Amino acid sequence: METTETVEGAGAGAGSVHYRTCPLCEATCGLEITMVGDTVKRIRGDRDDVFSRGFICPKGSTLKQIQEDPDRLRMPLVRRGGELVEATWDEAWAAVAEGLARVRATGTPNAVAVYLGNPNSHTLAGGLYVRPLLKSLGTRNVFSASTVDQMPKHVSSGLLFGNPSAIPVPDLDRTDYLLMLGANPFESNGSLCTAPDFPGRLAAIRERGGRVVVVDPRRTRTAEAADEHLAIRPGTDALWLAALANEILATGSADLGAVAPLVDGFEQLPVTLQAFTPEAVARRTRIAPEITRRIASELAGASSAAVYGRIGTHTVRFGTVASWLVEVLNVITANFDQPGGAMFPSPAHDRHPDGRAAGGRGFRTGRWTSRVSDRAEVRGELPAGVLAEEIETPGDDRIRALVTVAGNPVRSIQESERLDTALATLDFMVSIDIYVNETTRHADVILPPPAPLEKSHYDLAFTGLSVRNVVNYSPAIIETDVPQEWEIYARLALVAGGADPTASPAQITDLLADGIVAQRRRQVDAGAPGDDADLDAAIAESAGLDGPERLLALMLRTGPYRLPWSEVASSPHGIDLGPLAPRLAEVLRTANGRVDLVPEPVAADVGRLAESLAAEDDGGLLLVGRRDLRSNNSWMHNLEVLVKGRPRCTLQVHPDDAAALGLHDGGSATVRSSVGSLAVPVEVTDVVSPGTVSLPHGWGHGVEGTRMTVAARYAGANSNALTDASVLDPLSGNAQLNAIPVAVSPLGS
Ligand SMILES: Nc1nc2c(c(=O)[nH]1)N[C@H]1C(S)=C(S)[C@@H](COP(=O)(O)OP(=O)(O)OC[C@H]3O[C@@H](n4cnc5c(=O)[nH]c(N)nc54)[C@H](O)[C@@H]3O)O[C@H]1N2
Ligand SMILES: Nc1nc2c(c(=O)[nH]1)N[C@H]1C(S)=C(S)[C@@H](COP(=O)(O)OP(=O)(O)OC[C@H]3O[C@@H](n4cnc5c(=O)[nH]c(N)nc54)[C@H](O)[C@@H]3O)O[C@H]1N2
Ligand code: SF4
Ligand SMILES: [Mo]
């Protein structure tokens, strides 16, 4: 692979320089990594990366610390006599086969549940080999981090476009006006909007005379850098977005622009949203009617504008309605599918738009429901919030075994202390993970994949959410004795399907490759652009490859850009495929091939939103989360370089609230919610608005049985002890993790 060059003077003697994409967050920064032998000497931003141009955050260089972390697992662990002890891979696989078979023998396939964590979106194994694993397990008890995150966006896209994977992103580099709600890219580096150097791209909007407005109950660093900050009352974004749309409709300034011929239902909007005038929502949102009117007029009048909502608008009780309203605003201001507005990326590995008449099967949820509280299936999974009750409650189909793949639900989902207790009662649990953490300490077998630098990388998920079309492949740069991650996932799929643990994981790659070829062959036969020659070339090129590379080569050559693998593999800084282009017609999968602007399930839930208008707001404290640049959900707290310094897991309280409650900076408080209580250090700061308190998630380390030495010293508190699993966004099953009613008192009182 021509991705290295030799350099002198990189520490002890000659080194080699490698380029790869950082897999840690959604920003996909290019890294320049200097190695001497198998030791990482230096990691910095790759100035020649076609997308990130040298940008890097403090986490990017910690791929070195992850590589070297003595707590990171390099051998499987198997429980013997109650203790997790090191074992060979053969022993570990035998234990997995025995454990799964034992549970299967006494229950239905639904007795084995699976939880898929966030890093599955960041690995090739997660993107390509999870599907066969789910197929083999054949269980309806599939859970993932999606229902504590972005599921409302999938549902709004499913209902609007018939396509839950078609997620519009703000065209950051060309927009003249960005209205951003519940997102803090100065800390998160962006989400459902892949844009390395998000801060720089926001600054560029202002430099070219555009405007950035941030809506957040906290005055974040993102808000500080914007033209305007609106400190909305937590949990009320849907009300405010509805008022913006209502105002645009009422003033006659709505304009569907170029997408008008493809949009149904526009005439229903005014009635659907009639209750939500700027006056009507002011009391609940705490945003004055004249401000709402002005923003509506700015949005409608801007030469181009994009509305973008993230975690703070999704992990709330009206997540799907809020997500839908974001799209409605983009549509009715003539900014949908247009440069500078909200657009659909076109990833290079995607199937080629086949040119067939638009139309598809539409989108349905609730094909099955959860056993205990009857929650609807969405995209083949159930809300993560019901996992604990499905383990606790006796009866047929009770969950008796769990497979966790790159997840830490004991810190990341609602009522996670309850889940912790439930996991201890399972008959069998296997985890694919690099650490013994709060979740995996319950496993009977832990299968560790290689570290990031020991495996190849390509962003299957984030090229579909990216503000430019880019392709970038990174080979592994450090050799390892550990099986490749895809082999572990593939072998687990085989074992779960009853195969002998010695069966070759390459079988699964063969199956997946056959599937891709068959799908693309059907498209060619149906008259899609391209021809059999491309497909034959793809098959020939991929034949000499193995695992994910073989599948990627097939997809890229038959995808929209017809990229030969040799070209992708020899472009260490990536290939820029240009800005986003309008493509609404080809992503639509509704039955009639048109946008359903007011889908019936959403219209029904708007009724619930209208009821909430009248609800009392007693002005009590509402808890919201937050992210910190030097953290990443729950799993990077074992890296001293990131966690040292001022404590990060603090409860932020506004000075007025602190005074009223008798709290002081540096003191401690007890926070109580409907489901739990927590002791936390207090940070008094006017960054949070009055009535809002904020605590980050992913902390609460150092519990018995975990093996993360550094994290244990910077333990923090688990904010998900406070989140109520019974409160969900009904359309998506998504968790409410923000706007949680809490009571706060000085510790000990
Ligand atoms: N209160 C509150 N809770 C939240 C949130 C919030 O804002 N507030 N945010 C939610 C969101 S958006 C998310 S995405 C979830 C995250 O929820 P999870 O995905 O459950 O949690 P993570 O902390 O990301 O845990 C990732 C796990 O993967 C392991 N891991 C890391 N790299 C790899 C790898 O390459 N391969 C494998 N196999 N394993 C790996 C880590 O050791 C860790 O155990 O948390 C959610 N929870
Ligand atoms: N450094 C770092 N980066 C990360 C992660 C991390 O843990 N650390 N996690 C990654 C993951 S998994 C994800 S999903 C993304 C998330 O990326 P973002 O969505 O940008 O997440 P946050 O930084 O949590 O920003 C959410 C903001 O919403 C605000 N908020 C809370 N409630 C409300 C509300 O009711 N209304 C409004 N308008 N705002 C509200 C919070 O104050 C916060 O500032 O970040 C990713 N990147
Ligand atoms: S912003 Fe994200 S992708 Fe870029 S270096 Fe930091 S963690 Fe890696
Ligand atoms: Mo997330």
Side-chain angles (χ1 to χ4, degrees), residues 22-29 31 55-61 188-189:
C22 176
L24 296 173
C25 89
E26 302 184 36
T28 71
C29 301
L31 303 177
F55 180 83
I56 185 172
C57 89
K59 291 189 294 298
S61 62
S188 70
N189 274 303

Side-chain angles (χ1 to χ4, degrees), residues 1 541 545 553 556-557 563-571 575:
M1 210 65 53
E541 257 176 346
L545 300 164
L556 290 166
R557 181 63 191 245
L563 291 171
W565 177 248
S566 54
E567 193 183 328
V568 176
S570 61
S571 304
I575 302 171

Side-chain angles (χ1 to χ4, degrees), residues 174 343-354 458-460 462-472 520 523 529-531 534-535 537-538 541 552-568 575-583 586-587:
R174 289 182 290 183
M343 304 189 79
F344 296 103
S346 175
H349 62 272
D350 219 354
R351 34 185 221 148
H352 196 287
D354 45 18
Y458 171 92
D459 277 295
L460 288 159
F462 304 115
T463 45
L465 298 164
S466 175
V467 299
R468 270 188 94 78
N469 291 314
V470 171
V471 56
N472 206 331
R520 310 266 161 143
Q523 283 184 273
D531 53 30
D534 270 325
L535 198 49
E541 257 176 346
L552 273 177
L554 278 173
M555 292 189 282
L556 290 166
R557 181 63 191 245
T558 57
Y561 309 91
R562 300 273 186 263
L563 291 171
W565 177 248
S566 54
E567 193 183 328
V568 176
I575 302 171
D576 181 32
L577 302 167
L580 306 188
R583 59 183 299 248
E586 66 192 36
V587 307

Side-chain angles (χ1 to χ4, degrees), residues 26 118 145 148-150 191 310-311 627 633 697:
E26 302 184 36
N118 168 276
V148 284
D149 189 344
Q150 82 291 357
S191 183
R310 201 45 191 105
I311 280 287
R627 281 175 166 74
N633 296 326
H697 73 283

Side-chain angles (χ1 to χ4, degrees), residues 115-118 121 143-154 310-311 314-315 378-379 381-384 413 732-735:
Y115 174 87
L116 307 166
N118 168 276
S121 310
F143 304 89
S144 88
S146 293
T147 51
V148 284
D149 189 344
Q150 82 291 357
M151 196 58 104
K153 183 51 83 184
H154 292 303
R310 201 45 191 105
I311 280 287
H314 292 153
T315 53
V378 177
R379 295 193 90 200
E381 52 182 285
L382 294 170
I413 75 174
S732 65
N734 207 77

Side-chain angles (χ1 to χ4, degrees), residues 294-309:
R294 174 174 52 79
I295 302 275
S297 143
E298 287 173 6
L299 260 185
S303 38
S304 68
V307 185
Y308 162 64

Side-chain angles (χ1 to χ4, degrees), residues 700-718:
H701 304 301
V703 294
E704 204 186 321
T706 56
R707 299 184 193 171
M708 298 179 76
T709 324
V710 177
R713 282 195 278 112
Y714 298 88
N718 170 23

Side-chain angles (χ1 to χ4, degrees), residues 177-181 211-215 227-230 240-241 243-245 247-248 251 253 278 287-302 305-307 329 333 335:
Y177 191 101
L178 181 68
L179 174 60
M180 178 159 48
L181 308 98
R211 196 171 164 77
V212 177
V213 178
V214 170
V215 182
D227 294 279
E228 186 170 359
H229 168 223
L230 301 174
W240 190 63
L241 291 163
L244 286 177
E247 173 69 10
I248 289 168
T251 53
S253 37
I287 297 180
E290 54 280 11
I291 294 177
T292 307
R293 293 218 146 82
R294 174 174 52 79
I295 302 275
S297 143
E298 287 173 6
L299 260 185
V307 185
L329 283 166
T333 54
N335 286 306

